[in-house]
Amino acid sequence: MQNGTRLAAVDLGSNSFRLEIGQVDHGQIHRTEYLKETVRQGNGLDSARNLTTEAMQRGWDALARFGERLAGFKRSQVRAVATQTLREARNREEFLLRARTILGFGIDVIPGREEARLIYQGVAHMLPHNDASDRERRLVIDIGGRSTEMIIGRALVADRMESYRVGSVAWSMKHFGEGLFTQGAFRAAEVAAKAVLDDALGSYARDQWDVAYGASGTIGAVGDVLAAAGGDPGLVTRAGLDWLLDRLLKAGSADKLRIDGMREDRKAVIGGGLSVLRAVFDLLSIDEMKVAQGALRHGVLYELLERDESVADMRTTTVARLATRFAVDPAQARRVGETAAALFVQLAPAARGGSTTNRAGRALRKLGWAAQLHEIGTLVSHSDYHKHGAYILDNTDAPGFAVNELHALAQLVLGQRGKLRKLEASLDDETFVMQLLALRLAVILCHARRDPDPQALHLAALGARAFTIACAPDWAEAYPQSAHLLREEVLAWQKTSSWRVELSGC
């Protein structure tokens, strides 16, 4: 990526929304602007796990301010990610539909382990790079509003990642709902946090890492307070946590808390955050933790840099690993992928060449991933393998992918065969429909598991929401079974309420 290019990351956290803008300089990203809005969406989930109107409005207002600052940025220069609150919210699509319009860019809801991976990338990129630091085994902890991420890694590689549903906002609401700090409340909060985090004992035990780092949110806030009280800057210790607990107990409530180094907006959630952090220190036998400069948003920025065309995209590696893990037939995946790509390019000529700098090129790449994984469900059963494959993709851990990206791949895999009514909600997206048609036709042409005639079909758009398929002369006679399947395909499209496909020459 060219020096001087500006990149922007938006982090829609459970406690705060953040905008980080940086400039590329010889493979590094230097901050040029940083905005933070305390939105506290995490306490805006009602008993049915729906975001309240007030919580959504707070988020929209913050994004409107971010969107104004991002005016003029290209799509390839910006990525927005949402975390635990929007993973949980049942009405997240209602929020996201308007949020994307207000911000002016897409918003990816990322899985917990993907959040953990990006946090590690942000921390690792902001640490010094030398032989000693690259050898150290790192434990990275991030206590957010509604989730806590744990990662073990070395240099720039995260080896183990997990996300737990415990955080400063959620624990403050549950155990310090009146804003009161008591011994009993802290004892109950720490016990409850340990119950959630207990699974971490096996994978993140003290003999598995050399240095502990804390990222962002709660740990950064605690580090600031301890430094203001005379502690070592950038270091959180057990003694420091005990001292801070004593200060909170003496204050008695968040309203009465007066302490140097703590922002006003942090006081309402410090009880929950501190109790979770103390639980982490106890469970993992941590004596001291370094406060990291990097965070989720920095990982997102470096991921944007690495998604440049000259650098391998992690998602491509993830797809290849999934294909291997689920024993996909590589020859069939290749032929279906090549055939689907050739058909898609007929409908979207801008995709020719595979450049990812335009929407058509990105859609072609995603179609290729769907083709590579279209038989992923056969390891479960050959019967209804498309349904099994869709389920796998909707529920697997896939580094590099957002929840909505994986779901789009799952929808393509689900829709590769059978009735189209199951995809009715996705058929309003013209690009998705073109991907789907190309994949379904490729599966038909390759059903005999041999390379098809590359000139067999010609596709073209036929006005609004309609396509035409023209068969090559004598093709139907040479391949009668494929021709039969093609006629069945046209009938399937005729049963949809929104799209029409016409066939000629068969």
Side-chain angles (χ1 to χ4, degrees), residues 124-143:
H125 274 94
M126 300 290 281
L127 288 172
H129 295 287
N130 53 54
D131 288 345
S133 65
D134 286 348
R135 283 195 302 270
E136 72 180 14
R137 298 174 301 167
R138 297 168 181 155
L139 168 69
V140 174
I141 306 289
D142 187 325
I143 300 172

Side-chain angles (χ1 to χ4, degrees), residues 354-377:
S355 172
T356 56
T357 57
N358 59 58
R359 186 183 183 192
R362 291 189 292 271
L364 178 62
R365 179 172 59 178
K366 291 173 182 176
L367 173 61
W369 291 335
Q372 194 171 349
L373 299 174
H374 81 283
E375 290 188 329
I376 194 173

Side-chain angles (χ1 to χ4, degrees), residues 451-482:
D451 292 342
D453 179 355
Q455 306 300 321
L457 304 180
H458 178 74
L459 298 187
L462 189 64
R465 305 178 80 82
F467 302 101
T468 179
I469 305 172
C471 301
D474 302 323
W475 177 82
E477 186 175 344
Y479 301 97
Q481 188 174 356
S482 294

Side-chain angles (χ1 to χ4, degrees), residues 23-343:
Q23 193 168 45
V24 177
D25 182 13
H26 295 89
Q28 299 298 309
I29 301 173
H30 299 290
R31 175 188 284 183
T32 60
E33 193 164 350
Y34 172 62
L35 300 176
K36 176 187 173 185
E37 299 265 356
T38 301
V39 175
R40 210 154 287 154
Q41 274 202 325
N43 65 6
L45 286 175
D46 63 21
S47 59
R49 290 191 296 117
N50 285 311
L51 279 173
T52 64
T53 302
E54 294 78 15
M56 289 194 286
Q57 190 61 56
R58 292 196 300 270
W60 291 330
D61 290 345
L63 292 176
R65 291 185 280 274
F66 289 179
E68 183 178 350
R69 184 61 195 84
L70 291 171
F73 276 74
K74 297 178 182 177
R75 183 187 183 279
S76 60
Q77 295 173 277
V78 179
R79 190 182 185 202
V81 297
T83 56
Q84 184 61 37
T85 294
L86 287 171
R87 286 197 288 268
E88 289 185 57
R90 296 175 61 185
N91 62 339
R92 72 182 179 200
E93 288 306 320
E94 179 184 351
F95 172 78
L96 290 171
L97 185 64
R98 186 173 174 191
R100 288 166 177 144
T101 301
I102 290 171
L103 183 64
F105 296 91
I107 299 172
D108 295 329
V109 180
I110 55 175
R113 286 181 178 168
E114 175 64 3
E115 180 182 355
R117 185 187 69 81
L118 288 170
I119 288 167
Y120 184 83
Q121 289 301 309
V123 170
H125 274 94
M126 300 290 281
L127 288 172
H129 295 287
N130 53 54
D131 288 345
S133 65
D134 286 348
R135 283 195 302 270
E136 72 180 14
R137 298 174 301 167
R138 297 168 181 155
L139 168 69
V140 174
I141 306 289
D142 187 325
I143 300 172
R146 291 188 72 89
S147 69
T148 292
E149 280 68 46
M150 294 188 186
I151 312 98
I152 284 181
R154 198 190 299 254
L156 295 176
V157 180
D159 297 318
R160 258 168 278 166
M161 300 154 283
E162 196 52 81
S163 179
Y164 299 91
R165 290 176 64 169
V166 50
S168 61
V169 174
W171 249 236
S172 293
M173 291 173 62
K174 187 172 184 179
H175 299 282
F176 306 93
E178 302 295 324
L180 301 179
F181 299 142
T182 66
Q183 284 278 12
F186 272 102
R187 189 180 304 111
E190 289 182 33
V191 169
K194 288 177 181 177
V196 175
L197 298 170
D198 193 54
D199 285 348
L201 276 174
S203 299
Y204 299 89
R206 185 62 187 86
D207 61 352
Q208 300 295 306
W209 49 271
D210 302 317
V211 183
Y213 292 92
S216 196
T218 292
I219 299 169
V222 170
D224 289 343
V225 170
L226 297 182
D232 292 336
L235 193 67
V236 175
T237 63
R238 281 179 175 266
L241 294 182
D242 291 340
W243 173 86
L244 182 55
L245 174 61
D246 183 63
R247 287 296 303 270
L248 266 59
L249 290 173
K250 286 179 178 177
S253 70
D255 290 340
K256 295 179 181 178
L257 183 61
R258 303 289 182 270
I259 189 165
D260 291 340
M262 185 175 295
R263 299 188 312 271
E264 284 298 317
D265 62 1
R266 178 59 57 176
K267 292 180 180 179
V269 295
I270 190 60
L274 178 60
S275 60
V276 175
L277 183 54
R278 286 173 60 85
V280 168
F281 263 63
D282 283 351
L283 275 176
L284 304 186
S285 302
I286 300 172
D287 293 319
E288 63 178 36
M289 177 180 287
K290 296 182 179 180
V291 179
Q293 298 302 307
L296 171 63
R297 60 189 183 277
H298 302 103
V300 172
L301 284 177
Y302 278 98
E303 188 98 329
L304 274 175
L305 178 63
E306 292 168 5
R307 283 188 179 185
D308 186 44
E309 287 186 285
S310 62
V311 182
D313 189 326
M314 171 164 280
R315 292 172 295 179
T316 299
T317 302
T318 294
V319 168
R321 286 176 177 167
L322 285 172
T324 300
R325 185 194 308 170
F326 288 93
V328 167
D329 178 354
Q332 181 69 354
R334 174 197 57 77
R335 66 173 64 94
V336 168
E338 291 175 355
T339 304
L343 294 168

Side-chain angles (χ1 to χ4, degrees), residues 359-506:
R359 186 183 183 192
R362 291 189 292 271
L364 178 62
R365 179 172 59 178
K366 291 173 182 176
L367 173 61
W369 291 335
Q372 194 171 349
L373 299 174
H374 81 283
E375 290 188 329
I376 194 173
T378 57
L379 193 64
V380 178
S381 172
H382 282 275
S383 175
D384 290 335
Y385 70 85
H386 57 304
K387 296 178 183 178
H388 300 309
Y391 178 84
I392 289 169
L393 290 175
D394 267 331
N395 292 277
T396 195
D397 288 318
F401 281 97
V403 172
N404 45 309
E405 286 181 309
L406 269 181
H407 183 63
L409 289 186
Q411 290 293 93
L412 286 172
V413 169
L414 177 65
Q416 67 179 282
R417 57 184 293 196
K419 297 176 182 178
L420 291 161
R421 282 179 296 183
K422 58 182 178 279
L423 301 171
E424 202 70 48
S426 301
L427 295 183
D428 286 334
D429 183 341
E430 183 179 6
T431 299
F432 175 82
V433 170
M434 290 192 295
Q435 291 173 309
L436 181 64
L437 179 60
L439 181 60
R440 287 173 68 95
L441 293 176
V443 169
I444 288 172
L445 292 176
C446 300
H447 77 276
R449 309 187 85 78
R450 59 172 178 256
D451 292 342
D453 179 355
Q455 306 300 321
L457 304 180
H458 178 74
L459 298 187
L462 189 64
R465 305 178 80 82
F467 302 101
T468 179
I469 305 172
C471 301
D474 302 323
W475 177 82
E477 186 175 344
Y479 301 97
Q481 188 174 356
S482 294
H484 167 74
L485 293 173
L486 196 57
R487 289 189 287 269
E488 292 290 313
E489 177 68 10
V490 171
L491 291 176
W493 284 95
Q494 287 177 355
K495 293 177 182 177
T496 68
S497 59
S498 50
W499 291 91
R500 191 176 83 256
V501 176
E502 297 184 1
L503 180 65
S504 64
C506 290

